[in-house]
Every structure is written in C-alpha cells, then in structure tokens.
Amino acid sequence: VVAAVRRVDVGDYHVDVTPGVLAEAGALVAAAAPAHIYAVITDANVGPLFGAGVTASLARAAPGARVVYREVPAGESTKTRATWASLSDWLLDERCGRDTTVVALGGGMIGDLAGFVAASLLRGVPFVQVPTSLLAMVDASVGGKVGVDTHQGKNLIGAYHNPALVLVDPAALRSLPARELCAGCAEVIKHGVIADPAALESIRQEGTRLLDSSSHAVWTGAWLTSLIARSIEIKAEIVRADPREAGLRQVLNFGHTVGHAVESASEFRLRHGEAVAIGMAIEARIGEAIGFSESGLTQAITTALDAVHLPRVLPPGLDPDAVLTAMGTDKKRRAGNWRLALPRRLGEMVGSAEAFGVEVKPATVGEALGAA
Ligand SMILES: NC(=O)c1ccc[n+]([C@@H]2O[C@H](COP(=O)([O-])OP(=O)(O)OC[C@H]3O[C@@H](n4cnc5c(N)ncnc54)[C@H](O)[C@@H]3O)[C@@H](O)[C@H]2O)c1
Ligand SMILES: [Zn+2]
C-alpha cells in the first residue's frame, strides 16, 4: 500500500500528513529543527503508546544529540503554570541551551503546554508539534497559539510561537478513544462549514467509517488523510492571512461563542468539540432566524453532526439560561449584543476584511437556545 502523503504550507512552516510518519519522526524533526538536545514532552496516555518509538527514532536520526523525555499527567488540569514551571526547571536542570528542540507529542493539551515551555525557555527555542488527537491535528497544532490555563479561565496566559514543523500521523488515531475522535470531528465540520462543503458531505456519507473502524485501512487510507489535510489547509489559509487574529481569523470562532458558554455551563462535562457541535447548530439556527444565513444551513450541519454522533441540542438538565449567563462573560460581546461569526451559506462566512461577525441580540440567542 502506498501511503497517502499531503503537505500543507502555513507560511514559515509546514504540516506533513502521512500515515506512519511517527516511525520516521526523528529524521524529519532533525531536518526541520536541528538541535543538540531534543526534549520530548508527552502525557501519560500518549507516552506509553508512542514515546519510545519517537525517542528511538530521534536517537537514530541524530546520533550526536541527547534525547530527554518527560511524561506529565493526561488531562486539561495539567495545563497550568505549575506544570509549565516544573517542565522549564527540568529543561534548565538538563542544561538545555538554545540548541534545544522541544517535541510536543500528544493532544492539544500537550501542544499548548509544551509549546509555551518552548516559547518562553531562553525567550524561545524551536519546537515541533506531533499531534496525536484529531482535534490537535486539525486545529490546535496549527496557528502558533500556545499557553496554559489559570483558575480564571482557559488559555489566559500564553504566546504566539510557531512550530518549526507539524507532523501528523493519521494512523495514531487508532488508539484515540471514540469520544475524543468524535469531538475532533466537530472542528473538521466547522472548517467544512467555513470553506469546504465537500468535507461536510464526506463526513455525512462516510463518517461512520471512523466510528466502527476496526479495519487498518481507515487509519492508513487516503480518505482520512485527505479529510485531515483538507481541514488543516482551511485553517492554515486563514492563519496565513491573519496570523494575529486581527479580523479574518475570527471566522474560526463559528460555533464557539455559544459553544464556549455551553462548555462552561456544563461544568466541562461536555468535551470542547461536543459543546462546539451544539454551538454550531444553535448559531446556524440564529443565522437563519435573523435572515442572514441561507435556509437549510442548520439542517446541513446537523446531519453531519449526526453522522459522527455529535450532539446538536443542549443535554437534559442544561438550562438555556445558564448558557446565556455564561455567554455574559464572552470576550466577543459588544454593547449588550454578541458578535457571532456566521456562515452566509455552507462554505461562505459572513463579513468583510474589517469586521467578521454579525451582531445578535441576547433575546435572539435565548430563543434559539430554547428552541433547541
Ligand atoms: N492552540 C490552539 O490554537 C488550540 C486550538 C484548539 C484547542 N486547543 C487546546 O487543545 C486542548 C484540547 O485538545 P485535545 O482534545 O487533543 O485534548 P487532550 O490533549 O487532553 O487529549 C484528549 C485525550 O486523548 C488522549 N490522547 C491523545 N492522543 C491519543 C492517542 N493517539 N491515543 C490515545 N489517547 C490519546 C490524551 O491523553 C487525552 O486523554 C485544550 O487544552 C485546548 O485549549 C488549542
Ligand atoms: Zn474549538
């Protein structure tokens, strides 16, 4: 079988999407970010699966270099300044200088955390993203945003620090829990809504492949590789055009103004992707209700969500008012209204270069939440 290979340019760096690429990660990392010390940072779920392979591959590719390795506990609660400090201390104790490359091996939690360690160590050393969750592949590892959470909220301390390279191995998804895989599909669907109706159609028709895929062919095949690569391309194109979120990049917020509120109102019982799925369905309904979005948009999105078993209504017990309250603190609020990034139709977002987003009254949001 000839592996499907795709390369996506993001400006200063590129994303390599190749089934099986983890096995040859060392040579690619060493070529893109040559160093005397490679510091692999991963979590306690991903480390036992891929850690040894990646460190061995680095040792083979860079025989003169030292490879150091650290696992941190899995889960969002590890993405803190305390973990950042202990990882930074560890690297300084290892006498890592500027000739160090940090390798972030794991989901988005590791990418953000290890990326922030790299961004701040000696005012910035190179790092490579090796995302192993679908969400990290199509979203978190592209765009250069890194950081940690505080008790006041998520991602409040951080930096922009582009990776030197992103290595995506779709075959790594084989071990990802189904719920995480589905949650990642929410961002794939979001990218489809923003710029590629065909991706949505592909998920609608073949999404079930992902969910009952004991077969090797799914993980190494062209379908998944193209789906992932296309999704990365869409984010990459937006990030290239607007690296610091001055305007255009706001379209990536589709589903997220409501989604973030749903996520926090659920007290994080919902995965981010699940909350965003609900957020997309509700925001699309708002778009149709105010006459901004083409009718049928909500239906098109919810059938794609259904195909990968993502929710599209608030779960029982989650009060629409609690979501509205949670939206009250959203950064995107202006003069009492919310500014939502809404699609005009599948593949086309509303807005202009200066102002992406549509002002929506709280009452309209309340109605859409209630109707859900
Ligand atoms: N920087 C950005 O632009 C950006 C964008 C979106 C999200 N994020 C961040 O990403 C994080 C969420 O990412 P996530 O959903 O990947 O969470 P995660 O990193 O916590 O991974 C989810 C779970 O899957 C496990 N896992 C990962 N890969 C696996 C594999 N191949 N096999 C088995 N288990 C595996 C992890 O150990 C974890 O338990 C959040 O912290 C969020 O803020 C950042
Ligand atoms: Zn998201």
Side-chain angles (χ1 to χ4, degrees):
V1 182
V2 180
V5 180
R6 296 280 295 271
R7 183 191 159 108
V8 182
D9 279 301
V10 198
D12 305 347
Y13 59 101
H14 77 274
V15 186
D16 189 330
V17 189
T18 308
V21 77
L22 275 188
E24 29 175 320
L28 297 168
V29 171
H36 289 105
I37 303 183
Y38 294 93
V40 179
I41 298 177
T42 188
D43 76 23
N45 292 336
V46 176
L49 295 167
F50 308 116
V54 167
T55 50
S57 156
L58 276 164
R60 277 196 309 275
R66 195 147 60 88
V67 182
V68 297
Y69 176 88
R70 233 331 127 95
E71 278 174 20
V72 297
E76 188 70 20
S77 59
T78 292
K79 209 179 101 178
T80 61
R81 281 171 292 185
T83 317
W84 165 82
S86 81
L87 288 169
S88 303
D89 279 342
W90 164 62
L91 292 175
L92 294 170
D93 287 342
E94 292 283 354
R95 281 173 284 110
C96 290
R98 285 185 198 289
D99 54 351
T100 302
T101 290
V102 170
V103 179
L105 173 66
M109 186 283 281
I110 285 294
D112 282 11
L113 173 68
F116 189 47
V117 169
S120 47
L121 185 75
L122 305 170
R123 296 195 189 83
V125 300
F127 88 116
V128 173
Q129 291 272 23
V130 188
T132 60
S133 73
L134 181 56
L135 181 127
M137 291 175 184
V138 303
D139 190 355
S141 66
V142 176
K145 286 191 197 176
V146 296
V148 294
D149 306 329
T150 73
H151 76 265
Q152 291 91 343
K154 282 184 67 174
N155 303 320
L156 293 180
I157 303 284
Y160 283 98
H161 189 54
N162 280 335
L165 171 72
V166 184
L167 283 181
V168 171
D169 185 348
L173 296 176
R174 192 182 337 211
S175 53
L176 189 68
R179 190 173 174 195
E180 300 293 345
L181 195 63
C182 293
C185 284
E187 307 287 357
V188 177
I189 291 172
K190 182 190 80 175
H191 291 159
V193 172
I194 292 173
D196 185 22
L200 223 69
E201 188 54 31
S202 178
I203 289 218
R204 222 169 343 193
Q205 289 182 0
E206 318 200 48
T208 45
R209 279 210 215 184
L210 277 176
L211 304 181
D212 57 352
S213 47
S214 38
S215 113
H216 187 69
V218 175
W219 307 117
T220 56
W223 177 75
L224 184 58
T225 296
S226 323
L227 186 75
I228 291 172
R230 183 66 191 115
S231 197
I232 294 169
E233 254 163 29
I234 292 166
K235 175 150 186 192
E237 204 174 305
I238 294 167
V239 161
R240 260 200 322 257
D242 180 16
R244 295 288 168 122
E245 216 165 342
L248 174 65
R249 197 160 167 171
Q250 288 159 24
V251 301
L252 293 168
N253 267 320
F254 172 58
H256 281 64
T257 306
V258 172
H260 279 141
V262 169
E263 189 179 5
S264 75
S266 82
E267 285 162 346
F268 296 89
R269 279 189 299 272
L270 289 174
R271 296 290 301 149
H272 172 74
E274 294 165 348
V276 167
I278 297 167
M280 288 192 288
I282 290 171
E283 291 185 15
R285 189 173 295 118
I286 292 169
E288 287 192 57
I290 63 174
F292 239 107
S293 309
E294 194 172 88
S295 75
L297 175 80
T298 312
Q299 170 78 19
I301 293 172
T302 54
T303 47
L305 297 175
D306 289 348
V308 285
H309 300 189
L310 280 166
R312 44 151 136 154
V313 296
L314 294 179
L318 192 55
D319 182 6
D321 283 336
V323 177
L324 272 180
T325 306
M327 281 182 76
T329 57
D330 193 278
K331 286 174 279 194
K332 269 93 197 166
R333 192 162 179 173
R334 292 217 187 109
N337 294 338
W338 284 290
R339 184 173 285 279
L340 300 186
L342 291 176
R344 176 97 58 198
R345 59 182 64 83
L346 279 192
E348 187 191 329
M349 296 298 286
V350 167
S352 65
E354 316 81 59
F356 274 86
V358 181
E359 288 220 1
V360 177
K361 294 188 171 62
T364 312
V365 178
E367 272 162 38
L369 281 165

